[in-house]
Amino acid sequence: MSLANRLALLFAACAAAVALIAGSLFSQASALHFVDLDRQLLQSKLAVFADILQDADDPDALASRRPAMLQELQRHPELALRVETRNGQLWFSSLPQLEELSISMKELRRWRNGDTDYRVMEKRLPNGLRLSLLLDITHHQHFLQQMQRLIWLCVGLSALATALLGAWVARRGLRPLRNMTAVAQQVSASSLTTRLPTQGLPAELGELAQAFNAMLARLEDAFARLSAFSADIAHELRTPLSNLLTQTQVILSQPRPLEDYQEALHSNLEELQHLAQMVGDMLLLAKAEHGLLQTQRESLELGAELAALAEYFTPLAEDAGVTLRVTGQAALSADRGLLRRALSNLIDNALRFTPSGGELRLSTTSAGATVRIEVANQGPEIPAALRERLFDRFYRADPARREGNAEHAGLGLAITRSIVRAHGGAIRCESAEGWTRFILEFPT
């Protein structure tokens, strides 16, 4: 069932329930009102008959009062009277069927005889007479029955009218949703730039449209990144594969000495090792993005870890004319192998971009619930627009290095960020006043 039909039925049910409750309350109030009117009438007429019969102590006195009683009854045809003597004998009955009326202690009660309903009120006089005055309420009952039929008719008509109007209102109100559906059906991989209009929408649909547009923006960004990644990996794999094919074709084009074959195999081995490393890096990134990168944490002294890394990179730093310094002490629970790989990527990257005679600093500090590691090097400032893209896969800030390179495929910083995030930390780059800093922050 469509949402519009559900709303229409809901409106109809609500309208029927409200009409039924209101009609029932009105019917009950009308019935109580008739009871009050009947009580007042019976009380007043009982007082009249009591005045007529109050001094009638013997049969002759009762007989003398009979004309007055009949005259009063003729004025009110809807009334009937029954009079019993002190010893319970029936002395007067305006209607024959009243002989079947039983005595009750209730002040006001109903009695039905045949098709006629009566309201009965009784009173005992000081002289011992018992008066039973009856009021014919058949016309009241007919009125209440007609009212109930009218209430049921109104309930049915109001439910039907509300259902029709509700369906029209619901369809009109849901028109923006149908428009949104039409736009959403046009979205495909080739038209992710399509956006839902948000002008003139109700508040609820406006929030839905904004959320849908935000989702499309994320999909567009992810699709663009995936397309760029596919192009980048194809570009990165093309160079070593071309080298392998070309060198193999050349070496097989004619018979050659054994040394030439050995040299070609060694060259091919280097290219294959580069491809294997790239595939391994891509697998690590894929695991990290899907939360599958497992960390075997242990308590590490970061000062000692940075010192060990500095000792490993000291020969490379000396060859490049770069001074390597280590400062600070802090403790962190982390995976030693992954953390060293992340820091090695940063140090290797810093060494490549630090000019001869420059300085590279490794430092760590602990402040409250955060442990901070900083890899800072002197060198050219990185523009703010490029700092976030440094962590993209296959991205190289140096245009001269964007062609395939056997050593640096542009995955180091992306791997570093994945490792830091796997430890619950964050990494950012700051570059100003001749220093570039990569800052890693981990929760303790």
Side-chain angles (χ1 to χ4, degrees):
M1 185 179 295
S2 67
L3 183 59
N5 291 337
R6 291 183 183 182
L7 290 175
L9 290 179
L10 182 60
F11 291 155
C14 292
V18 171
L20 182 60
I21 293 173
S24 299
L25 292 177
F26 181 75
S27 178
Q28 186 177 4
S30 300
L32 293 176
H33 177 67
F34 284 133
V35 172
D36 290 338
L37 292 178
D38 295 344
R39 178 184 286 110
Q40 294 176 8
L41 178 61
L42 289 172
Q43 287 176 346
S44 64
K45 294 307 174 183
L46 266 178
V48 173
F49 288 112
D51 290 340
I52 296 174
L53 298 173
Q54 62 180 351
D55 296 331
D57 296 331
D58 54 66
D60 293 336
L62 289 174
S64 64
R65 309 293 171 85
R66 188 181 186 93
M69 294 167 49
L70 294 175
Q71 184 179 4
E72 186 65 27
L73 289 172
Q74 288 176 357
R75 294 177 183 175
H76 300 281
E78 72 276 9
L79 293 177
L81 180 63
R82 171 190 169 102
V83 181
E84 293 180 0
T85 60
R86 186 188 302 271
N87 56 11
Q89 294 180 355
L90 179 62
W91 175 76
F92 176 82
S93 177
S94 63
L95 296 175
Q97 56 266 33
L98 298 185
E99 297 178 2
E100 302 176 3
L101 179 65
S102 60
I103 299 175
S104 175
M105 301 301 295
K106 294 182 180 180
E107 177 191 6
L108 188 68
R109 61 190 175 100
R110 286 184 60 182
W111 180 64
R112 184 176 183 85
N113 184 268
D115 296 333
T116 307
D117 287 326
Y118 294 95
R119 193 90 63 193
V120 182
M121 181 174 286
E122 298 176 345
K123 184 176 182 179
R124 182 176 291 276
L125 302 181
N127 57 10
L129 295 179
R130 187 181 188 89
L131 307 183
S132 299
L133 187 62
L134 293 85
L135 175 64
D136 186 352
I137 59 171
T138 305
H139 61 289
H140 292 175
Q141 300 304 312
H142 290 169
F143 174 79
L144 292 176
Q145 291 173 2
Q146 291 178 358
M147 180 182 294
Q148 290 177 355
R149 287 193 292 268
L150 183 61
I151 289 173
W152 283 109
L153 180 61
C154 290
V155 169
L157 292 178
S158 62
L160 179 60
T162 307
L164 296 176
L165 292 175
W168 178 77
V169 171
R171 292 182 184 279
R172 184 177 180 85
L174 294 176
R175 184 181 301 169
L177 189 59
R178 292 195 296 271
N179 296 336
M180 293 171 60
T181 302
V183 175
Q185 290 174 344
Q186 299 174 3
V187 176
S188 63
S190 59
S191 61
L192 289 176
T193 56
T194 304
R195 295 294 183 270
L196 296 177
T198 57
Q199 298 295 329
L201 291 179
E204 297 81 359
L205 295 182
E207 294 177 359
L208 177 62
Q210 292 177 359
F212 191 83
N213 289 339
M215 180 191 69
L216 287 178
R218 292 191 298 269
L219 288 176
E220 182 183 7
D221 180 68
F223 193 81
R225 288 176 177 270
L226 181 62
S227 299
F229 169 70
S230 301
D232 289 339
I233 195 171
H235 178 76
E236 295 295 333
L237 293 175
R238 181 184 61 185
T239 300
L241 289 175
S242 297
N243 292 340
L244 286 171
L245 289 172
T246 302
Q247 190 165 358
T248 303
Q249 289 173 350
V250 169
I251 202 68
L252 293 177
S253 61
Q254 59 183 353
R256 299 181 184 277
L258 180 61
E259 293 79 4
D260 292 345
Y261 290 111
Q262 291 177 342
E263 183 179 356
L265 289 175
H266 281 296
S267 178
N268 289 350
L269 179 62
E270 292 180 359
E271 295 291 349
L272 291 172
Q273 288 174 342
H274 169 59
L275 288 174
Q277 180 181 357
M278 185 184 300
V279 172
D281 292 343
M282 292 305 304
L283 288 175
L284 187 145
L285 287 174
K287 289 182 178 181
E289 289 182 356
H290 291 83
L292 302 177
L293 186 60
Q294 302 295 328
T295 58
Q296 299 178 356
R297 302 198 179 195
E298 57 182 301
S299 181
L300 302 178
E301 177 55 51
L302 294 181
E305 294 296 324
L306 292 179
L309 288 172
E311 182 179 358
Y312 176 81
F313 282 98
T314 294
L316 296 177
E318 291 177 350
D319 291 342
V322 176
T323 303
L324 192 57
R325 301 183 185 277
V326 179
T327 59
Q329 294 289 336
L332 178 65
S333 176
D335 187 302
R336 185 191 302 273
L338 292 177
L339 183 62
R340 284 191 173 185
R341 182 171 184 178
L343 294 174
S344 297
N345 290 338
L346 294 176
I347 296 172
D348 179 69
N349 189 68
L351 285 175
R352 288 190 290 114
F353 290 96
T354 303
S356 180
E359 185 177 355
L360 193 158
R361 298 176 184 173
L362 308 179
S363 62
T364 181
T365 56
S366 178
T370 303
V371 173
R372 173 171 170 158
I373 302 175
E374 182 176 309
V375 178
N377 67 283
Q378 290 179 315
E381 180 178 345
I382 301 177
L386 301 181
R387 292 173 197 167
E388 284 299 322
R389 297 195 59 194
L390 292 176
F391 300 98
D392 292 345
R393 291 169 293 193
F394 297 115
Y395 179 77
R396 300 184 181 88
D398 185 2
R401 298 178 178 268
R402 290 186 182 174
E403 288 300 321
N405 188 290
E407 295 182 359
H408 306 288
L411 296 174
L413 293 181
I415 292 174
T416 298
R417 182 174 62 177
S418 297
I419 293 174
V420 171
R421 288 180 174 177
H423 285 81
I427 183 173
R428 67 180 187 274
C429 175
E430 297 178 356
S431 185
E433 299 178 357
W435 283 89
T436 296
R437 297 176 175 83
F438 285 88
I439 301 170
L440 291 71
E441 294 181 339
F442 300 92
T444 55

